[in-house]
Amino acid sequence: MGPIADACKAGSFDLAALAEAATRSGNLAIPLVKALTAAVARTDPDAARYVHWGATSQDVIDTATMLGLRAAIDVLLPDIERAIAGFARLARQHRDTAVVARTWLQHALPMPFGLKLAEYAAALHRSRTRLKRLRNETLALQFGGAVGTLAALGDSGLPVAERLAQELKLPLPDAPWHTHRDRIAEAASVFAILAGTCGRSPATSR
């Protein structure tokens, strides 16, 4: 490991100070890069020149967002799997349990309680599919430099991007995307749909 990697230890930084500095700089990447550069400079001033070489702050922010979203999905998926299995089991148990259905907030015809539960299992299954697709196809590395050309890295731009994608286990996109926010919008919509499903109660809906 080199001096830059040696300095990349979260416990070495004052998180409260970074958060306060972010309110003045407009994003967290700028104070983080400054703090990391200062830490590297204490042991290797020459290496400190390369802490942020070729990248731009938005590269750091967007890639960190992708890593955070991936971690969130990995935590959520097992819970969703258990919920789907639980709703499916209860749906089988209550396939002949009659409950009063409603339309326009009024009592209507009876329906099997198991049908409600099966609908929840199906909705969560669709969200699981969306989350997996989001994780595997939408979450991707952002590394393009200030204008997307990686000009500071010369002919090494693409090889560095490929190596970084491998290191972070993120897909390398066809092109830098930091000025196109459809990836972020898609992630927000997938999580919003899941939250909406989880916010409904099978005892009160329909």
Side-chain angles (χ1 to χ4, degrees):
M1 292 179 67
I4 296 176
D6 291 340
C8 290
K9 296 180 175 62
S12 302
F13 297 92
D14 185 337
L15 299 185
L18 287 176
E20 182 179 353
T23 63
R24 298 189 297 271
S25 63
N27 67 60
L28 188 57
I30 293 173
L32 175 61
V33 168
K34 288 182 179 178
L36 178 58
T37 301
V40 174
R42 286 193 287 271
T43 60
D44 192 330
D46 186 58
R49 298 171 48 232
Y50 297 96
V51 166
H52 200 42
W53 188 264
T56 188
S57 296
Q58 199 64 43
D59 291 338
V60 178
I61 294 167
D62 285 337
T63 297
T65 299
M66 297 292 104
L67 294 173
L69 287 171
R70 184 177 68 187
I73 291 171
D74 289 344
V75 170
L76 279 172
L77 282 174
D79 286 344
I80 294 174
E81 295 281 358
R82 286 192 291 272
I84 292 171
F87 276 120
R89 183 177 63 254
L90 289 171
R92 290 190 294 270
Q93 292 175 4
H94 293 283
R95 63 186 302 167
D96 297 321
T97 302
V99 295
V100 176
R102 287 189 296 276
T103 179
W104 291 101
L105 303 179
Q106 301 176 51
H107 282 183
L109 296 173
M111 67 175 292
F113 184 51
L115 177 58
K116 284 189 174 187
L117 299 168
E119 290 173 356
Y120 274 82
L124 287 172
H125 176 79
R126 292 192 295 273
S127 277
R128 177 182 62 184
T129 300
R130 293 186 193 98
L131 283 170
K132 288 183 175 181
R133 185 172 61 245
L134 178 70
R135 189 192 191 285
N136 296 329
E137 299 176 11
T138 303
L139 304 187
L141 176 74
Q142 164 51 39
F143 184 60
V147 298
T149 63
L150 291 175
L153 298 177
D155 293 337
S156 299
L158 184 56
V160 170
E162 291 173 342
R163 179 66 181 273
L164 182 59
Q166 293 172 359
E167 184 75 19
L168 297 178
K169 295 181 174 62
L170 283 172
L172 181 66
D174 295 333
W177 54 268
H178 67 288
T179 58
H180 297 272
R181 312 309 288 173
D182 54 295
R183 294 177 188 274
I184 303 297
E186 183 178 353
S189 67
V190 169
F191 280 99
I193 292 169
L194 175 60
T197 297
C198 293
R200 291 173 58 85
S201 167
T204 59
S205 63
R206 189 169 3 200

